[in-house]
Amino acid sequence: MSGSHDHGAHDHQHDHPDDRWKHDGVRVIPGNQLDPNVPSTPGMDRKAAINFARVGAQKLWAGTVTIKPDAKTGAHHHGHLESIIYVVKGKARMRWGEKLQFTAEAGPGDFIFVPPYVPHQEINASPDEVLECVLVRSDGEAVAINIDIEPVERPETVLWVDPVHRDPNEGH
């Protein structure tokens, strides 16, 4: 029979040219099906959306993090991983350094970059609004190493300064 295809003659893994992408292509992970079983840090609620175990991601981990009003996490770092935090809702205050001596704030629409091995702490700077963020890391597995740090009492505020964004306190 010309043009007919006998499905019983061989395994059906790639019956049709489009089938190879059917289960190994784009994945949609519904927001109400995130995985709470991830390494965590006291004070925050992390959930995985994209990781090796769920979708086979080799080089990325993505999920959400929420922090209750006026709450803060314990000090931690993420080993060799780079992290990006995108603030969806609320006001994030980050502290970082060997004694958490530096601080900066971010609001909805802002991105935060955390380099490998940097000790840091996330703080919800709002007394009445939950802090909601999207989190992306540079590996398919989650790493969270909680550390015991005695933070300085008054951290130094650090502004975003680069060749394009100048310190507003600097004279022109």
Side-chain angles (χ1 to χ4, degrees):
M1 267 202 213
S2 102
S4 87
H5 191 80
D6 181 0
H7 286 282
H10 64 282
D11 90 25
H12 60 280
Q13 188 173 0
H14 299 298
D15 284 348
H16 188 273
D18 292 339
D19 284 352
R20 71 179 224 167
W21 299 120
K22 184 173 183 177
H23 298 292
D24 294 325
V26 172
R27 310 278 180 90
V28 174
I29 289 65
N32 65 355
Q33 294 179 23
L34 303 186
D35 182 3
N37 298 310
V38 297
S40 210
T41 300
M44 67 171 31
D45 178 25
R46 280 191 196 111
K47 292 184 179 167
I50 308 295
N51 61 16
F52 181 77
R54 299 196 86 200
V55 302
Q58 300 286 320
K59 299 177 183 176
L60 291 173
W61 182 99
T64 60
V65 62
T66 56
I67 301 175
K68 293 185 171 102
D70 254 349
K72 62 186 177 185
T73 70
H76 60 283
H77 68 77
H78 301 288
H80 68 285
L81 305 181
E82 293 179 317
S83 298
I84 296 170
I85 302 167
Y86 175 77
V87 181
V88 175
K89 179 182 175 188
K91 187 178 189 181
R93 179 176 301 130
M94 296 293 291
R95 287 186 66 174
W96 71 94
E98 293 296 323
K99 299 277 187 197
L100 302 178
Q101 68 268 39
F102 306 112
T103 187
E105 291 192 353
D110 292 343
F111 287 84
I112 300 164
F113 174 67
V114 182
Y117 300 102
V118 172
H120 63 282
Q121 173 186 53
E122 290 95 345
I123 299 166
N124 183 340
S126 170
D128 50 17
E129 186 178 24
V130 170
L131 174 61
E132 296 178 4
C133 301
V134 172
L135 177 58
V136 179
R137 296 222 185 86
S138 61
D139 197 325
E141 293 298 325
V143 174
I145 297 157
N146 298 316
I147 49 181
D148 191 17
I149 288 181
E150 187 61 44
V152 297
E153 204 168 310
R154 294 179 171 230
E156 174 187 345
T157 299
V158 178
L159 302 173
W160 173 243
V161 177
D162 67 9
V164 177
H165 304 85
R166 297 286 182 199
D167 185 337
N169 299 322
E170 187 180 277
H172 292 282

